[in-house]
Amino acid sequence: MIYGNIYHEKTYAFLPPRIQEALAFARSHDLGELPKGRNEIAGDDLYVNIAHYTTGERSEKIWEAHRAYIDIHVLATGTERIDVSHMERMEMGAYEEDKDFVPAEGDVTSSTIMRPGDFLICFPVDVHRSGVKVDAPAPLKKGIFKVKVE
């Protein structure tokens, strides 16, 4: 997991090129204005899913992990809490290859409050639960960049 802000470009210059490309896209596009759903950047190697939803209680949200893609959550509007935990500390479900989705159950190891411009990179070992309310349920818009694992 790496937490940062898309405008601290020099700080994250060490990241791999595809991740740099995703962050550059986030800096140069208004994610809140892009159409909901999948938006192409570099085919299956890099794309962004635009999501609009309302945050809620932890009990309403699901834990997930991925194998084929790294997730980069970038908030456009609103605030949300994203919980994370290491895979080895969780009870992992069966991998659904067609969705690149692994459900999980367990306890929060860490939590990050996301605000516009913030990003959270979740690698395949980072189980995450997004959409958790900060103070009260609230609407948000965000991009979830999908970077194919090399």
Side-chain angles (χ1 to χ4, degrees):
M1 173 187 85
I2 299 175
Y3 170 72
N5 188 283
I6 61 173
Y7 299 108
H8 298 162
E9 188 174 352
K10 290 181 184 177
T11 301
Y12 301 103
F14 68 92
L15 293 170
R18 282 283 186 219
I19 293 177
Q20 293 285 353
E21 188 176 355
L23 296 176
F25 186 95
R27 280 191 298 276
S28 63
H29 292 78
D30 183 347
L31 299 178
E33 294 299 318
L34 292 176
K36 287 170 57 173
R38 182 174 169 147
N39 289 259
E40 297 293 329
I41 301 172
D44 287 337
D45 289 338
L46 173 63
Y47 60 92
V48 61
N49 288 324
I50 301 299
H52 301 180
Y53 58 82
T54 300
T55 60
E57 299 293 332
R58 278 190 166 121
S59 60
E60 300 169 355
K61 305 301 177 180
I62 61 166
W63 284 105
E64 65 179 331
H66 311 286
R67 290 185 184 169
Y69 286 90
I70 297 165
D71 273 4
I72 306 174
H73 297 255
V74 180
L75 208 60
T77 64
T79 59
E80 79 174 321
R81 181 182 309 276
I82 299 179
D83 295 331
V84 293
S85 191
H86 299 289
M87 188 176 281
E88 61 271 3
R89 295 183 183 153
M90 303 292 283
E91 183 179 321
M92 303 303 295
Y95 178 58
E96 299 175 34
E97 186 174 359
D98 61 322
K99 298 177 185 175
D100 187 37
F101 174 79
V102 183
E105 293 292 332
D107 296 325
V108 175
T109 299
S110 184
S111 184
T112 299
I113 295 176
M114 303 282 291
R115 292 184 173 81
D118 290 348
F119 70 83
L120 181 70
I121 302 173
C122 295
F123 295 93
V125 295
D126 299 323
V127 182
H128 51 284
R129 174 172 56 193
S130 60
V132 177
K133 70 178 186 175
V134 175
D135 295 315
L140 65 77
K141 294 180 181 179
K142 69 190 278 188
I144 305 161
F145 290 84
K146 306 296 274 187
V147 180
K148 192 165 188 81
V149 175
E150 297 178 21

